[in-house]
Amino acid sequence: IEMLRAVADQAAISISKAQLWEMAINDSLTGLHVRRYFMAKLQDEIHRTQRYKKSLSVVMGDLDKFKSINDNYGHTNGDNVLKAVGTYLQSSIRDVDSIGRYGGEEFIMFLPETGSAAAYILADRLRKGVAQLEVGNLPAVTISLGIATFPDDGKSIEELVQKADAALYAAKENGRDQVVIYNEDIPLPDNRELIT
């Protein structure tokens, strides 16, 4: 009995540690990676991509006019939309891809061995799929997405995220519900006011 108690205690500790790890790396609402863990994975993937001289795309997405869902239908319904979108995005990417919740209604993905043209095809498919989601009786939501690609657009996390964010902002500024690939004509983000 004492030995069984000791084994049970060890099992409980192991389960508790696994649960803590899960809570540390995954967002409790959407189940997607939290920003800090996602960025660490992205850093590792950039190193691997550099070593093998491959490409990698970063895609940032932001739900359009999401504040109006929270304001008009309540935060619980807003949470339901975030869960539905997170589930859809996670189920629609490859196993080698990674997705995280960047903050609020923003999502971020990295796509290993994927150039900007292939990233655009995927991002546009995701954009169309999000618009088709049905969440209760809520109105349809749309998503704007921006793409930056390693090594063409940057060789560091900071550069890639900054340029994907700039492309996302351009998508918002140009009417929302679209995908924009970063190019040199797109101004980099500064202290601009975000269009939601």
Side-chain angles (χ1 to χ4, degrees):
I1 291 174
E2 288 302 315
M3 190 164 80
L4 285 175
R5 278 194 186 128
V7 169
D9 287 346
Q10 285 299 88
I13 289 169
S14 295
I15 290 169
S16 182
K17 283 182 179 179
Q19 290 170 333
L20 286 172
W21 175 248
E22 181 75 16
M23 289 173 15
I25 66 169
N26 292 327
D27 174 59
S28 61
L29 180 65
T30 63
L32 303 177
H33 293 315
V34 294
R35 181 175 176 169
R36 181 175 42 243
Y37 181 72
F38 175 88
M39 296 305 250
K41 282 186 69 168
L42 175 56
Q43 184 65 63
D44 290 343
E45 192 60 36
I46 286 174
H47 290 314
R48 192 187 73 76
T49 300
Q50 274 179 317
R51 187 169 53 247
Y52 295 110
K53 299 185 181 351
K54 302 281 187 178
S55 60
L56 169 142
S57 288
V58 172
V59 181
M60 290 193 72
D62 185 74
L63 295 180
D64 298 321
K65 300 183 179 180
F66 182 72
K67 185 178 182 308
S68 69
I69 296 284
N70 281 333
D71 290 349
N72 295 321
Y73 300 95
H75 289 277
T76 299
N77 283 312
D79 287 351
N80 291 337
V81 168
L82 290 172
K83 285 186 224 173
V85 170
T87 299
Y88 168 74
L89 293 174
Q90 180 67 63
S91 68
S92 301
I93 59 175
R94 306 170 300 178
D95 290 341
V96 296
D97 301 334
S98 189
I99 182 169
R101 185 170 177 202
Y102 197 70
E105 65 272 12
E106 280 188 300
F107 301 92
I108 187 167
M109 294 166 258
F110 69 75
L111 316 173
E113 298 186 27
T114 306
S116 58
Y120 181 90
I121 291 168
L122 171 67
D124 201 48
R125 183 170 51 82
L126 295 175
R127 179 190 66 78
K128 290 173 183 170
V130 167
Q132 298 299 313
L133 288 177
E134 293 181 13
V135 184
N137 294 321
L138 298 175
V141 294
T142 60
I143 191 168
S144 297
L145 299 123
I147 299 168
T149 301
F150 173 94
D152 299 337
D153 299 324
K155 292 184 171 61
S156 70
I157 287 181
E158 294 77 19
E159 286 179 293
L160 290 169
V161 170
Q162 182 185 47
K163 290 178 178 175
D165 184 50
L168 168 60
Y169 184 78
K172 294 274 195 186
E173 202 170 48
N174 294 332
R176 299 179 185 88
D177 189 24
Q178 58 186 274
V179 180
V180 171
I181 297 172
Y182 177 78
N183 66 67
E184 295 294 326
D185 295 331
I186 296 174
L188 293 177
D190 52 3
N191 292 329
R192 59 171 159 63
E193 183 178 324
L194 179 64
I195 298 174
T196 60

